[in-house]
Amino acid sequence: MTLAGDGYIRQSVAVVGAGAVGGVFASAVHRAGHDVLLCVRTPFDELVIETSQGEEHVPVTVVTDPAGLRPVDWVLLAVKSFDTAGTARWLAALCDENTTVVVLRNGVEQTDDVQALVPRATVVPALVYIQAERLAPGHIRHGYGNSLDVPAGRDADRLARLFHGSGTDIRPQQDLVTAAWRKLMLNAAVNPLTALTLRRMEVMGDSMILGLAEGLMRETQVVAEAVGARLTGADVRRTLAFMKEFSDGNGTSMLYDRLNGNALEWEALNGAVVRYADLYGIDVPLNRAMTALLHALRPLPTTTTAEGPADTRLAAA
């Protein structure tokens, strides 16, 4: 890190993963005045963030190989849970005892596998609330939302300073377990139902699908209570109401992953509900059915498309 005028500390930040989440937060830390390294598999010339106000061209450094990299102050880990092991070489090069790794991914099992890869670094879980879509390598459409829920304390304060001036809202949570299960309750419903039906949020206008979404949420809420999260039936009702605020044209990350032929993150969503349900002897037939169906899906033909505006990584996603 370097000290600039007025005591401003310019820090080194590496973003591992250049999908919708990685791209949005790489642009955010750049706006905050920091040096940004974007670690990717597919190279591109520049990072472009498309919003309703126009395009932001972000001058980050794009690298495709960790060889020769030095440890940085911060790593924003923005890959799907099943890709975490594949980041080991990046993390080994980028992290030491002075590095903080912020894990930006879905689910309630965010940090255990990451901490094992960076035993000397500080690891911070973060719940992502944005709506964005990767249109092409290095080209992200950011709809709305720009916040991170993180455990309250020193690390939350440090993150708030890191993102100061970027427009990102760092929201400290006294009970991140409850916050994570509340988010999972929504994710476990809208992600599989949009992915399986190949429809955007307009599918929730179907009363049978809406009833299925509520059933998935209620099962998740019961499991969450057993785990120790402070969720009740009132949270299910509030989550259903929150879901109805999304426009019909919104999609989900799982829907877009399916349309793009990518692996689906079902193990971190409905799969997690089933795993914890088994631990506590709770019956979750709807989540078990979603898990089986998602597991059995085959890739779509490459000509498959989704109709409507391509706006999409739900706040929930």
Side-chain angles (χ1 to χ4, degrees):
M1 66 180 67
T2 58
L3 190 66
D6 299 323
Y8 169 75
I9 298 178
R10 186 181 185 95
Q11 299 193 291
S12 56
V13 183
V15 180
V16 179
V21 170
V24 167
F25 288 105
S27 69
V29 289
H30 169 73
R31 285 195 304 276
H34 304 293
D35 299 315
V36 184
L37 191 68
L38 198 50
C39 307
V40 304
R41 287 179 294 197
T42 304
F44 50 84
D45 294 332
E46 65 175 344
L47 176 63
V48 178
I49 307 296
E50 181 182 323
T51 70
S52 58
Q53 285 76 45
E55 290 187 350
E56 176 188 7
H57 294 255
V58 188
V60 298
T61 300
V62 178
V63 292
T64 58
D65 192 324
L69 295 181
R70 299 176 62 84
V72 295
D73 299 315
W74 294 84
V75 171
L76 305 185
L77 185 61
V79 300
K80 298 293 177 66
S81 55
F82 50 73
D83 281 333
T84 301
T87 66
R89 289 182 62 235
W90 290 104
L91 295 176
L94 293 167
C95 298
D96 63 13
E97 66 277 8
N98 299 311
T99 304
T100 299
V101 180
V102 184
V103 183
L104 309 173
R105 74 182 191 197
N106 280 324
V108 294
E109 303 161 317
Q110 288 184 292
T111 59
D112 289 352
D113 55 344
V114 178
Q115 187 69 76
L117 295 175
V118 288
R120 296 187 298 161
T122 299
V123 178
V124 179
L127 306 178
V128 177
Y129 286 90
I130 66 168
Q131 192 173 53
E133 176 194 355
R134 178 182 180 270
L135 302 177
H139 190 177
I140 311 298
R141 176 178 294 157
H142 183 192
Y144 60 85
N146 200 358
S147 62
L148 294 174
D149 286 3
V150 297
R154 177 176 176 269
D155 290 327
D157 295 339
R158 293 173 58 233
L159 265 176
R161 290 194 295 272
L162 180 74
F163 281 98
H164 179 72
S166 71
T168 302
D169 185 15
I170 303 299
R171 304 186 301 196
Q173 301 291 318
Q174 295 295 335
D175 183 358
L176 196 73
V177 170
T178 296
W181 278 93
R182 182 179 292 112
K183 184 181 177 185
L184 180 60
M185 190 162 60
L186 177 60
N187 268 343
V190 298
N191 272 279
L193 292 176
T194 53
L196 288 167
T197 61
L198 293 176
R199 293 169 63 180
R200 297 169 185 257
M201 288 298 289
E202 50 82 21
V203 74
M204 297 301 165
D206 183 311
S207 61
M208 295 179 70
I209 295 296
L210 184 62
L212 182 52
E214 181 175 358
L216 288 162
M217 290 182 190
R218 291 194 180 280
E219 287 184 359
T220 304
Q221 176 253 316
V222 172
V223 175
E225 282 189 276
V227 171
R230 295 182 296 174
L231 297 179
T232 68
D235 291 284
V236 174
R237 293 189 292 273
R238 281 192 289 268
T239 302
L240 283 167
F242 175 63
M243 182 185 71
K244 292 175 182 177
E245 295 178 9
F246 299 123
S247 71
D248 288 349
N250 286 351
T252 67
S253 59
M254 190 176 284
L255 169 63
Y256 278 85
D257 278 339
R258 189 179 181 204
L259 291 173
N260 291 325
N262 299 329
L264 305 185
E265 203 175 17
W266 57 269
E267 288 184 283
L269 302 181
N270 304 85
V273 176
V274 171
R275 286 194 300 277
Y276 281 98
D278 288 344
L279 285 175
Y280 291 93
I282 299 169
D283 192 23
V284 288
L286 297 179
N287 276 278
R288 197 174 296 279
M290 292 298 107
T291 298
L293 289 169
L294 293 167
H295 169 72
L297 283 180
R298 294 181 181 275
L300 291 170
T302 55
T303 55
T304 301
T305 60
E307 296 179 356
D311 143 318
T312 94
R313 179 181 176 98
L314 274 178

